[in-house]
Amino acid sequence: MKIKIDKFVLSIIAVISIAYIFPDWGTHESKIPIDTISAIGISLIFFFYGLKLSPTKLKEGIKNWKLHLLIQSSTFLIFPLLILVFRPFIQNEEQKIIWLAFFFLAALPSTVSSSVVMVSIAKGNIPAAIFNASISGIIGVVITPLWMGLFVQSAQTDFNFTDIYLKLIVQIILPVIMGVLLQRFFGEFAQKHNKHLTLFDKSIILLIIYKSFAASFEENIFSSVSIWDLLLLVIAVLLLFCLMFFFTGFLSKEMEFNTEDQITAQFCGTKKSLVHGTVFSKIIFGNIASIGIILLPLMLFHALQLLIISIVASKMSVNYKSVSITA
C-alpha cells in the first residue's frame, strides 16, 4: 500500500515557506488587504457550508444518539480535559503559549469533509458521520470560545466575549443560516461544484495561515523554537491523537457499538478542523505576534490525522473487501 502525502499539507508547507521569505506582504503596513479578503472568504466558506448541509441526510443520522453523545463528548469534553491536566506543570510564559496552543487544538470542532470521506472508505456509518461532522462545527461556534475564554484573558490578549460572538455571528452563523435557507435552491449546484468550493475553502485557509506566520516571522517569534522543540511538538501531537483514537475505540466497544459505529466514533471523535481553527484563531486571538506558534500544533495534528486515518481507513477497506469476497 502506497502512502500518499496530502497535497493540502504540502501547500501549507509551501505557504509557510513563502511567509518566511516574504513576511512583508502579511504585515500591517502591507498594501495587500489580506484581513479584508480573508474576512469575506470566511463568510463565503460557511455560506457554502450551509448550502451543502443536507437536511435529509442529517435526519437519517440523528437517531443514533449514543454514538452522537460519544463523538461530541470526545470532541468538546474529553479532548480539552486531557490537555487541562497538564496546566499545573506550566512554569514559564513560553510553556504557557505552547499549552494554550494545545488547548486551542483540543477545544476545536471536528473536521467535516475528511471525516466523512474516511468513514466512507472504511465502510463506517456514513449518515452518522455526516450528522456529527456537520453538527460539530455548529456546536464549536459556541463551545470553543467558551473554553478559550477561561484562559485567553490570562494570556494577556484582548479577549472580549461580546466582540468575539458578534464576529462569529456575522462571519459564521448568519452565512450558515443563509446557506441552509437557500439550500433547496442552490444545494444541488453546491454539490455539483463541491471540488471547486473545496479549493476555494483551502485557498482562504492558506491565506490566513500565510498572514499568521508572516506576522510571527516578522516579530521573530520562532527564534526560540529549535528543531528539537519541533520534534517534541510532533511527538506530543502524535501521542495526543493516538491516545484519543484508542480511547474512543475502547469506549465504543464498552458501549457495544457495531463495527460501523465504532469506525465512525473513532474517525469523527478524534479529528480536529483546520478550517475552524484558522478562522477561530483570527477572531479569538486577533493579530497577536505568537499566532503562528498557536496554530503550529493544529497544523501538525492536521497532517498526522490525515496520514494515520488514511492508512487505517485503507486497511479497513481492504479487510472489508476480503470479508465480502470470502462471504
Side-chain angles (χ1 to χ4, degrees):
M1 181 177 62
K2 294 182 179 180
I3 298 175
K4 295 182 179 179
I5 299 177
D6 188 83
K7 291 180 181 178
F8 188 49
V9 173
L10 294 177
S11 299
I12 291 173
I13 296 172
V15 164
I16 294 173
S17 301
I18 294 171
Y20 179 76
I21 300 170
F22 305 106
D24 294 346
W25 298 345
T27 61
H28 296 295
E29 291 77 22
S30 174
K31 294 181 180 180
I32 303 173
I34 292 181
D35 286 332
T36 302
I37 295 170
S38 58
I40 295 171
I42 288 167
S43 296
L44 289 174
I45 284 174
F46 284 92
F47 171 70
F48 297 140
Y49 177 70
L51 281 182
K52 289 184 283 187
L53 280 176
S54 172
T56 304
K57 290 181 179 179
L58 290 178
K59 286 177 183 177
E60 289 177 9
I62 200 170
K63 300 173 184 177
N64 197 346
W65 65 270
K66 286 185 179 180
L67 176 59
H68 308 329
L69 183 63
L70 174 58
I71 292 173
Q72 300 308 322
S73 297
S74 173
T75 302
F76 294 111
L77 187 61
I78 299 174
F79 246 116
L81 290 177
L82 186 61
I83 302 300
L84 200 57
V85 170
F86 293 93
R87 182 170 169 77
F89 300 99
I90 295 174
Q91 297 179 348
N92 53 52
E93 193 64 28
E94 183 179 326
Q95 290 178 359
K96 182 186 289 186
I97 293 174
I98 295 296
W99 180 88
L100 190 65
F102 272 90
F103 190 76
F104 177 59
L105 159 66
L108 288 171
S110 175
T111 183
V112 178
S113 57
S114 61
S115 291
V116 176
V117 170
M118 295 305 173
V119 167
S120 176
I121 292 172
K123 309 303 178 185
N125 187 333
I126 298 174
I130 293 171
F131 174 81
N132 279 282
S134 301
I135 203 71
S136 179
I138 297 171
I139 295 173
V141 173
V142 177
I143 299 297
T144 302
L146 285 176
W147 269 122
M148 297 311 299
L150 298 175
F151 305 103
V152 174
Q153 289 171 320
S154 63
Q156 296 180 347
T157 61
D158 187 17
F159 191 94
N160 185 297
F161 268 113
T162 304
D163 184 48
I164 284 173
Y165 275 110
L166 184 61
K167 288 181 180 178
L168 289 172
I169 289 170
V170 173
Q171 293 188 28
I172 297 176
I173 296 178
L174 287 180
V176 169
I177 292 173
M178 288 177 62
V180 171
L181 292 175
L182 295 173
Q183 200 268 342
R184 61 175 179 168
F185 301 109
F186 302 105
E188 188 177 336
F189 174 85
Q191 294 297 339
K192 183 179 179 181
H193 297 278
N194 186 51
K195 287 186 178 179
H196 296 94
L197 295 179
T198 300
L199 180 62
F200 173 79
D201 293 354
K202 290 179 178 179
S203 299
I204 296 299
I205 296 310
L206 290 173
L207 185 65
I208 296 173
I209 289 172
Y210 167 79
K211 169 73 176 178
S212 301
F213 275 81
S216 295
F217 286 134
E218 186 72 15
E219 297 290 334
N220 208 25
I221 294 298
F222 287 106
S223 60
S224 60
V225 180
S226 63
I227 297 297
W228 175 245
D229 292 330
L230 188 61
L231 180 61
L232 289 177
L233 280 177
V234 172
I235 294 172
V237 166
L238 182 61
L239 288 174
L240 175 62
F241 177 84
C242 291
L243 182 59
M244 288 301 303
F245 187 80
F246 289 114
F247 187 60
T248 50
F250 169 76
L251 289 178
S252 54
K253 286 181 181 179
E254 289 295 308
M255 296 174 75
E256 299 181 346
F257 289 166
N258 58 34
T259 303
E260 289 78 12
D261 286 354
Q262 284 184 30
I263 291 170
T264 306
Q266 285 187 288
F267 282 28
C268 294
T270 56
K271 292 288 195 72
K272 290 295 179 179
S273 173
L274 181 61
V275 173
H276 287 82
T278 48
V279 170
F280 286 2
S281 69
K282 189 174 183 299
I283 295 172
I284 293 173
F285 299 103
N287 293 315
I288 64 170
S290 57
I291 188 67
I293 291 180
I294 289 173
L295 283 176
L296 191 56
L298 172 60
M299 287 186 287
L300 292 173
F301 191 91
H302 174 80
L304 287 171
Q305 75 182 8
L306 285 177
L307 176 63
I308 296 170
I309 293 295
S310 296
I311 294 171
V312 174
S314 298
K315 186 177 180 181
M316 287 181 173
S317 178
V318 171
N319 291 339
Y320 179 85
K321 289 178 182 177
S322 300
V323 171
S324 299
I325 293 171
T326 304

